[in-house]
Amino acid sequence: MASATGSTKSEPGELASGAASAQPMSQPNWRWGFSLVPRILAVNVFAILMLAGSILYLDSFRERLIDQRRLGLETQARLVAVSLAEADTAPRTAALIAHFGATSGNRLRLYGTDGALLDDSWRSTGPTFELRDPATEPFRRDIARFLDRAVEAVGSFPALPDYVEPAVDRRAAWPEVGRAAATGTVADTLRFSAERIVVISTAAPLSSALRPAAVVQLTRDTRDITDLVRRERQTLFLTFLGVLTISLLISNFLANTIVRPLRRLAEAAQRVRLGRAREVRVPRFIQRRDEIGELARALSDMTATLRQRTDATEAFAADVAHELKNPLASLSSAVETLERVRDPVLQAQLLGVVHNDVARIDRLISDIADASRLDAELSRSRFDRVDLGVVTTELVAGYDRAGLPRGVELAFAAPEPGTAVVHGEAARLAQVLRNIIDNAVSFSPSAGVVVIVIESIGDRVQLRIDDDGPGIPPDNREDIFRRFYSERPAGEAFGRHSGLGLAISRTIVDAHGGSIEAINREVQGRIAGARFLVSVPAA
């Protein structure tokens, strides 16, 4: 009897890798540019950058507000110029300048035809807006001015000259006043105060026959606009920092839950491929129920199966070498002896040994080739609906036509059609039946009977084969399914069996999701023969 070698089970998540590749590679080099981490970060930060862009939008918003203030100041300058042109006396002019300065909050200055300063609204009203010294401002104002410069450098806000009060206030100190006097139209200039507040200066000529070159200048700061923009910018900036912090935390969370587990799996797979360690632990991430957890467990199971197959291949190769050595040693000894023997009778005996060993090697090689192809062929096979009753009936009919040795007979009652249908490959299932029947016939006594029964039990189809042989020693019930195990009945010629038949049968049955076992059949407390039970899921 023969049996398949039992594969050594490994702990879940551990794998012994196969042979190292011819050109081993180093461990994965996780380069930042090719990692998922910067991509996750970029996706999360992109929306944040859109929020940051709104800070730049405030700069254009400030420009529009200043333009509106500038247009309003031009309109006021024209109106004031018309009103002053109609004033016929100096006191009347001074009163109008003081009134306009007090009601509008602007600073009004009147320059005469010779360019000298004739009047200033601040002389009577006092300053209507304040120009502060940055040195006296709190630290947060320095930060605000720094942000102003940064946004202006990135945005479209134009560079402006500084606002400086002249030591001698004359028309020549203000270019816009000179342009208004020369062209007879309204002119203005924007300037930055020392604290980065835009100051608008607008000049309008007086249309008067008495004072054809006189010019009125209106000056106004935009502190209210700047304070508004700074407050909004601070709110947006704090919001940006908060959202950026949350985005970075989310990116770190995604990196920990996606990138790092994948990296661990890739490193484990690389160690398996390199084969530098007999045992490689592939993380299973049992707590995870998502796709990465499923991937980890699939890789772990795959590597465990690979190890089992590698171990089985190594054991099979060792068994093949051992089994081939015996007939080769016998063949070599017979050939060497044949060269020295001259007795024709002994020579004939030695030639018989040679022929038997050659035949044994041929059978071993054929069975080994069949066993080595079995796994690959089964993995590619397409299972169909197979009626085990029909397959067994055809097989028994073939045995009846060929005849069995020693008068052994087969007893088989075919089941009802359609009651023993399974999913599988008919040729391989027939091979299982043939191997078990051959084994039963070889152990049956002369005129013995091999009984074959097929029945449906629940959701499975069971095949039972009984013989009248000596039975199976209890300690050898699993050994008979081990590769190259062979314990033949007395009187049978040595070397007629390779010991692979039952091992191949178990491999085929396992591939069909079934089970195979061997027990002893007892009658009145004594062993009456062996019984093989094959169970396969019903279709």
Side-chain angles (χ1 to χ4, degrees):
M1 297 184 182
S3 73
T5 53
S7 59
T8 303
K9 294 184 178 179
S10 60
E11 293 296 325
E14 296 183 358
L15 167 73
S17 65
S21 61
Q23 295 180 349
M25 297 173 61
S26 60
Q27 288 292 332
N29 182 17
W30 304 109
R31 296 176 59 187
W32 176 259
F34 298 98
S35 174
L36 288 175
V37 175
R39 302 181 193 182
I40 293 174
L41 182 62
V43 169
N44 288 316
V45 171
F46 178 75
I48 311 305
L49 295 178
M50 299 295 292
L51 178 62
S54 62
I55 298 178
L56 299 178
Y57 169 77
L58 286 177
D59 187 55
S60 63
F61 176 67
R62 180 178 66 156
E63 288 186 47
R64 290 195 297 272
L65 291 178
I66 291 176
D67 284 341
Q68 291 177 2
R69 178 69 55 83
R70 181 179 180 180
L71 293 175
L73 204 61
E74 288 181 3
T75 302
Q76 293 180 37
R78 289 190 179 95
L79 294 175
V80 170
V82 172
S83 298
L84 294 178
E86 294 177 354
D88 53 358
T89 63
R92 176 64 176 166
T93 301
L96 287 174
I97 290 176
H99 173 73
F100 287 140
T103 56
S104 65
N106 302 325
R107 181 179 184 179
L108 277 70
R109 280 176 281 198
L110 179 63
Y111 296 93
T113 57
D114 58 353
L117 178 64
L118 300 179
D119 200 355
D120 185 347
S121 64
W122 280 10
R123 293 175 182 173
S124 57
T125 64
T128 54
F129 58 87
E130 184 179 3
L131 298 176
R132 302 171 185 172
D133 183 0
T136 63
E137 294 287 287
F139 177 71
R140 60 185 181 86
R141 290 286 183 178
D142 293 335
I143 297 177
R145 284 188 288 271
F146 171 78
L147 292 176
D148 287 343
R149 291 188 179 93
V151 173
E152 290 164 5
V154 177
S156 59
F157 201 84
L160 301 179
D162 293 333
Y163 180 88
V164 179
E165 285 288 339
V168 178
D169 195 347
R170 295 183 58 83
R171 184 176 66 188
W174 309 102
E176 65 275 12
V177 177
R179 291 197 307 272
T183 61
T185 59
V186 177
D188 60 12
T189 299
L190 302 183
R191 296 179 177 85
F192 268 136
S193 68
E195 52 175 333
R196 303 294 295 178
I197 300 295
V198 175
V199 178
I200 306 174
S201 179
T202 303
L206 272 64
S207 300
S208 170
L210 298 175
R211 292 173 288 191
V215 178
V216 62
Q217 179 193 38
L218 277 68
T219 305
R220 177 68 181 271
D221 72 350
T222 58
R223 182 179 299 279
D224 55 341
I225 296 176
T226 301
D227 289 343
L228 172 64
V229 171
R230 285 176 177 176
R231 286 195 302 271
E232 294 301 320
R233 182 185 298 154
Q234 180 182 13
T235 301
L236 282 175
F237 184 71
L238 293 177
T239 304
F240 167 74
L241 290 181
V243 176
L244 179 61
T245 301
I246 295 174
S247 177
L248 292 176
L249 292 176
I250 294 175
S251 299
N252 184 65
F253 171 75
L254 292 176
N256 288 333
T257 56
I258 297 177
V259 178
R260 292 181 183 176
L262 290 178
R263 185 174 297 176
R264 289 181 59 189
L265 290 176
E267 290 172 351
Q270 185 77 342
R271 290 195 299 271
V272 170
R273 191 193 65 81
L274 292 174
R276 293 177 179 174
R278 180 63 180 172
E279 301 287 339
V280 176
R281 180 174 294 277
V282 178
R284 293 180 63 86
F285 303 131
I286 298 176
Q287 296 81 4
R288 299 189 62 156
R289 292 294 179 264
D290 55 9
E291 290 80 358
I292 291 181
E294 293 178 1
L295 173 64
R297 289 184 286 277
L299 284 176
S300 179
D301 293 340
M302 180 188 70
T303 50
T305 302
L306 178 60
R307 176 189 173 177
Q308 293 175 5
R309 293 193 177 184
T310 301
D311 291 344
T313 300
E314 292 176 355
F316 182 65
D319 291 341
V320 167
H322 176 73
E323 291 297 320
L324 288 176
K325 280 182 180 180
N326 291 334
L328 286 175
S330 175
L331 181 61
S332 175
S333 176
V335 171
E336 291 177 0
T337 305
L338 185 62
E339 294 176 351
R340 298 192 297 268
V341 172
R342 297 292 179 264
D343 186 350
V345 177
L346 293 177
Q347 287 181 346
Q349 292 177 353
L350 290 173
L351 285 174
V353 172
V354 170
H355 288 306
N356 289 335
D357 288 337
V358 170
R360 183 183 176 192
I361 292 174
D362 181 66
R363 282 191 297 271
L364 276 172
I365 291 175
S366 298
D367 289 344
I368 289 169
D370 188 26
S372 63
R373 292 194 306 267
L374 187 60
D375 285 339
E377 291 179 357
L378 287 173
S379 65
R380 295 192 298 266
S381 296
R382 179 178 178 180
F383 288 178
D384 299 315
R385 292 173 63 87
V386 178
D387 193 330
L388 274 182
V390 175
V391 173
T392 307
T393 299
E394 295 175 352
L395 190 63
V396 170
Y399 277 107
D400 290 340
R401 288 191 298 269
L404 296 174
R406 304 186 313 281
V408 177
E409 296 180 355
L410 297 180
F412 172 64
E416 292 292 329
T419 60
V421 179
V422 300
H423 278 301
E425 187 178 358
R428 289 300 182 182
L429 291 173
Q431 184 180 4
V432 173
L433 288 169
R434 191 165 45 250
N435 289 343
I436 298 176
I437 292 173
D438 288 344
N439 184 81
V441 169
S442 66
F443 279 90
S444 293
S446 299
V449 179
V450 175
V451 180
I452 305 172
V453 178
I454 296 179
E455 55 186 344
S456 179
I457 302 177
D459 60 349
R460 303 181 77 83
V461 175
Q462 187 181 76
L463 169 68
R464 187 176 78 243
I465 301 177
D466 296 342
D467 63 43
D468 296 331
I472 306 169
D475 295 338
N476 294 343
R477 289 181 181 175
E478 282 300 315
D479 291 338
I480 63 175
F481 295 105
R482 183 164 49 85
R483 285 184 178 130
F484 300 111
Y485 179 85
S486 182
E487 184 175 331
R488 307 311 305 168
E492 185 175 282
F494 178 75
R496 290 185 56 188
H497 296 270
S498 63
L500 289 172
L502 294 181
I504 291 174
S505 297
R506 168 164 280 185
T507 302
I508 295 173
V509 172
D510 288 344
H512 284 75
S515 62
I516 181 172
E517 62 175 331
I519 60 176
N520 286 324
R521 184 169 58 87
E522 296 185 359
V523 177
Q524 295 181 353
R526 66 180 184 86
I527 296 176
R531 170 173 291 174
F532 282 83
L533 297 173
V534 177
S535 178
V536 182

